[in-house]
Amino acid sequence: MTLREIDRQLEKLYSTYENYNGITISTGITYEGNPINFLFQKENDKYVRIYTNKNFSEWIAWCTNGWTKAAPKIEKLAEIYGVQWDNDAGSLYIRFRRNELTLAQAVMRLQQAVSVVGCLGED
């Protein structure tokens, strides 16, 4: 494989586009055919927040029979990746300063947490 071909293949991992809330990062992850995308927002000059979309909230609500009861388990699993759980919104998110993590590292951590938490079922 040539460098150009490798680069072309890697570009398929993620794509981005602007929406009314900020920037969407398409991950290629789907649950029941619904895309689990990330939303990127600058909170201020220092912090960035990347969080899961509504489809992830709906998936977690369905697979855990309501995420409130599963919240302690979700928080524990997410913590391994440096990710937090918003129990009100039903979303995973990572909040960081640009000098703490690269965007790629943050996206990968959130994606790992989504993959693990998304496998939860009812207790």
Side-chain angles (χ1 to χ4, degrees):
M1 244 184 211
T2 65
L3 179 59
R4 187 173 300 163
E5 179 63 21
I6 292 169
D7 189 50
R8 191 178 68 76
Q9 292 294 319
L10 290 175
E11 283 180 351
K12 294 178 184 179
L13 290 175
Y14 301 99
S15 62
T16 59
Y17 58 91
E18 287 190 57
N19 67 25
Y20 61 93
N21 285 335
I23 297 172
T24 295
I25 302 170
S26 297
T27 65
I29 301 170
T30 60
Y31 290 135
E32 296 291 319
N34 297 312
I36 308 301
N37 294 327
F38 300 157
L39 303 166
F40 172 95
Q41 289 184 326
K42 286 185 178 179
E43 289 188 344
N44 53 38
D45 288 339
K46 295 182 182 180
Y47 286 94
V48 169
R49 178 180 162 119
I50 305 171
Y51 58 97
T52 55
N53 67 353
K54 182 179 141 190
N55 291 342
F56 184 76
S57 304
E58 291 173 359
W59 172 259
I60 286 298
W62 177 80
C63 74
T64 62
N65 198 22
W67 66 66
T68 305
K69 188 172 81 174
K73 187 181 279 188
I74 294 170
E75 290 168 358
K76 193 172 215 170
L77 290 170
E79 185 179 15
I80 295 167
Y81 303 100
V83 171
Q84 296 177 303
W85 171 249
D86 181 339
N87 202 42
D88 294 329
S91 69
L92 289 170
Y93 69 94
I94 187 164
R95 184 176 184 260
F96 61 99
R97 288 183 181 186
R98 290 179 291 176
N99 64 345
E100 294 173 337
L101 291 174
T102 66
L103 179 60
Q105 289 170 319
V107 167
M108 289 304 299
R109 287 182 183 197
L110 186 57
Q111 186 169 347
Q112 289 173 314
V114 164
S115 296
V116 171
V117 172
C119 291
L120 286 176
E122 290 184 56
D123 280 339

